[in-house]
Amino acid sequence: ENNITRPRGYKVSFHYNSRVEDMHFGKTHPMKPWRLTLTKHLVLGFGLHHAMDTYQAVAAGKDQIRAFHDSDYVDFLSEVAPETFEELCKIPRFYAHTPPRHENDTVELGPFNLSTSPGADCPVFDGMSTYLFLYTGATLHATQKLLTGQSDIAINWSGGLHHAHKSEASGFCYINDIVLSILDLLRVHARVLYIDIDVHHGDGVEEAFQRQPRVMTLSYHRYGPYDETGHKFFPGTGDISDIGLRGTVGEHFALNVPIPSGIDDRQYSYLFESITSRTIEAFNPSCIVLQCGADSLGGDRLGQFNINIKQHGDCVSFVKKFRLPLLLLGGGGYTARNVARAWCHETALATNNTLPDAIPMHIVPRPEAFSGRVHGDGKLYPSFQRLHLNDCKDGELEAMVKQVDW
Ligand code: TV7
Ligand code: CA
Ligand code: ZN
């Protein structure tokens, strides 16, 4: 099978449960389970599972999630479903967490920033609890493998949900699996470095550790002044002056790299390599968590960067070269076929394999073949035949974004 081999001298583990694909945020919501299905099929189709220990994830327990999240919030998440939402909202200890209404709100928000309105960032949907506890379980098990030394690199592409707060969902994120993982890592490791290449600012992780000098957070993200519509790019934080909570021991242990739209491979590579290497040198971490959000790729439905899969993967290779225990997590990524290409390529990089550019036709998944339900737009992408590590042309972002079909 494509000469896939296990890496020499170190071990990689892959943590996943296909049931996360049963989630549906809503018809027009950008977060699609289909990207995880495609990723799984590329990884299996290329035979990369032969290069790693693969584990079927088990749901995290409520107590594990309480290590960071508010107890009432955890109870709400474990009990909520579209049918139970309204009743749960009336319970005083949950109702107390309902944000005040603003006049120009387009969606009605319930407790913990959750909502059943169709336009909500964090909707309540069928199978939501199962999805949340599974992606968290996968991240926590991956973390255990690193802690016991049974893995040197552990991967969970369904995790990396960096916006969730202690008692509030935000930006498609409900449970902050990254914070929970880092809290576990801190039991053994003196210093943990968190790096975030998702196009959005990793605000939830930064906030959780803003007073913690043993965790350094470093986020690369789109950031800038108000756009034509009078909005800031979500979540609107992560200015260069944002360096951790001033006046506490956490000051200087957060770093932010705000970037304008259209950044290309050469520019990104320069920023990423110089800043990341200098940070590792100065902070001297004993392990690294890398959130690999794929919405920083050119042509992403929500992103505004212009980097290729090749460059996105080079960030993973660069971090891997430091030979520290490494947790690789997913995150954003809204042009499904490119997300799958990137994360499959990065699985290959983690295991020291090089994939052929051509995707063998027999492994291109057919949407109608899964669980009797049509995922994605139901079309077979003619362009989904090659890995195309370099198809996003430099310096052409303004023209390409949301137009080019790779
Ligand atoms: C990690 N952008 C998460 C990134 C989270 C981004 C946002 C949407 C969006 C939501 C939808 C939808 C959308 C086409 C895009 C200020 C608002 C504006 C809701 C419409 N289509 C990650 C979150 C960001 C929901 N939110 O980092 C349902 O875009 O900008 C905002 C906030 C208020 C809420 N409205 C958007 O990648 C995983 N949301 C269609 C249907
Ligand atoms: Ca980021
Ligand atoms: Zn994102």
Side-chain angles (χ1 to χ4, degrees):
E1 242 169 348
N2 299 311
N3 300 318
I4 298 299
T5 54
R6 283 193 167 247
R8 271 175 205 278
Y10 70 98
K11 272 188 121 185
V12 180
S13 60
F14 189 87
H15 304 262
Y16 189 66
N17 189 315
S18 295
R19 277 158 58 215
V20 296
E21 296 162 25
D22 294 342
M23 54 95 165
H24 288 272
F25 278 65
K27 236 185 151 49
T28 60
H29 197 288
M31 185 58 104
K32 302 287 184 200
W34 175 236
R35 70 201 189 118
L36 296 171
T37 312
L38 280 179
T39 306
K40 174 185 74 184
H41 278 266
L42 279 190
V43 167
L44 295 177
F46 276 113
L48 285 168
H49 52 299
H50 297 305
M52 320 180 271
D53 297 330
T54 55
Y55 296 96
Q56 181 163 18
V58 170
K62 292 210 290 178
D63 283 331
Q64 289 180 292
I65 295 168
R66 287 193 180 104
F68 172 57
H69 289 285
D70 178 88
S71 193
D72 288 336
Y73 182 44
V74 178
D75 287 340
F76 195 91
L77 289 180
S78 71
E79 289 165 40
V80 76
E83 312 81 57
T84 60
F85 184 68
E86 235 185 285
E87 283 306 309
L88 286 176
C89 288
K90 295 179 194 155
I91 298 173
R93 71 184 173 112
F94 296 143
Y95 183 78
H97 289 274
T98 308
R101 274 213 72 166
H102 294 290
E103 272 173 55
N104 44 5
D105 274 355
T106 46
V107 292
E108 196 168 342
L109 294 178
F112 313 106
N113 200 26
L114 300 174
S115 171
T116 46
S117 304
D121 273 355
C122 299
V124 169
F125 54 88
D126 273 326
M128 172 167 141
S129 301
T130 308
Y131 159 70
L132 302 179
F133 286 74
L134 277 178
Y135 80 65
T136 305
T139 295
L140 293 180
H141 192 234
T143 306
Q144 280 315 306
K145 291 288 151 189
L146 293 173
L147 283 172
T148 59
Q150 292 176 80
S151 305
D152 299 285
I153 302 180
I155 304 174
N156 172 23
W157 297 131
S158 65
L161 296 157
H162 59 178
H163 297 306
H165 301 282
K166 182 179 159 68
S167 53
E168 192 188 285
S170 170
F172 321 161
C173 306
Y174 304 73
I175 295 174
N176 201 317
D177 59 308
I178 308 168
V179 170
L180 292 170
S181 166
I182 295 174
L183 288 172
D184 279 350
L185 292 170
L186 283 175
R187 294 164 187 268
V188 169
H189 290 276
R191 283 175 305 280
V192 180
L193 174 61
Y194 172 68
I195 309 173
D196 184 316
I197 60 168
D198 189 288
V199 75
H200 297 97
H201 175 221
D203 59 346
V205 185
E206 179 184 305
E207 180 191 72
F209 297 112
Q210 61 181 341
R211 304 162 183 275
Q212 174 55 276
R214 291 171 58 208
V215 177
M216 173 84 106
T217 59
L218 168 57
S219 177
Y220 297 83
H221 47 266
R222 170 80 177 86
Y223 179 88
Y226 296 99
D227 64 14
E228 317 76 49
T229 63
H231 294 283
K232 281 197 171 192
F233 193 73
F234 187 84
T237 50
D239 189 80
I240 195 159
S241 63
D242 170 4
I243 54 164
L245 198 58
R246 280 166 211 279
T248 74
V249 287
E251 187 171 350
H252 300 299
F253 291 93
L255 276 178
N256 286 291
V257 187
I259 300 170
S261 66
I263 187 171
D264 66 25
D265 288 351
R266 196 183 50 80
Q267 297 163 328
Y268 198 93
S269 157
Y270 172 73
L271 280 177
F272 186 82
E273 299 198 355
S274 52
I275 296 170
T276 302
S277 56
R278 192 66 193 87
T279 303
I280 294 175
E281 211 177 285
F283 183 62
N284 189 25
S286 52
C287 75
I288 300 180
V289 176
L290 177 57
Q291 196 266 23
C292 305
D295 47 6
S296 42
L297 294 171
D300 187 81
R301 187 176 158 202
L302 296 190
Q304 300 182 3
F305 287 173
N306 194 21
I307 69 170
N308 284 287
I309 290 169
K310 165 86 168 57
Q311 175 52 45
H312 202 270
D314 284 354
C315 296
V316 176
S317 298
F318 187 80
V319 171
K320 176 173 173 271
K321 281 215 279 284
F322 291 89
R323 293 174 168 273
L324 292 167
L326 177 61
L327 177 61
L328 293 180
L329 298 173
Y334 306 100
T335 300
R337 60 194 182 283
N338 296 335
V339 177
R341 286 179 168 120
W343 289 346
C344 176
H345 171 56
E346 287 158 19
T347 308
L349 293 175
T351 58
N352 245 349
N353 282 287
T354 308
L355 300 177
D357 185 51
I359 299 173
M361 253 338 257
H362 73 278
I363 70 169
V364 177
R366 290 178 305 117
E368 62 276 18
F370 302 104
S371 59
R373 192 193 277 132
V374 173
H375 294 259
D377 56 14
K379 276 192 307 227
L380 246 182
Y381 297 108
S383 60
F384 200 77
Q385 290 170 18
R386 316 207 134 255
L387 272 179
H388 282 312
L389 302 189
N390 258 316
D391 242 32
C392 173
K393 292 179 190 62
D394 291 351
E396 291 179 7
L397 177 88
E398 263 33 82
M400 308 191 39
V401 167
K402 296 177 183 90
Q403 289 174 32
V404 169
D405 182 32
W406 293 18

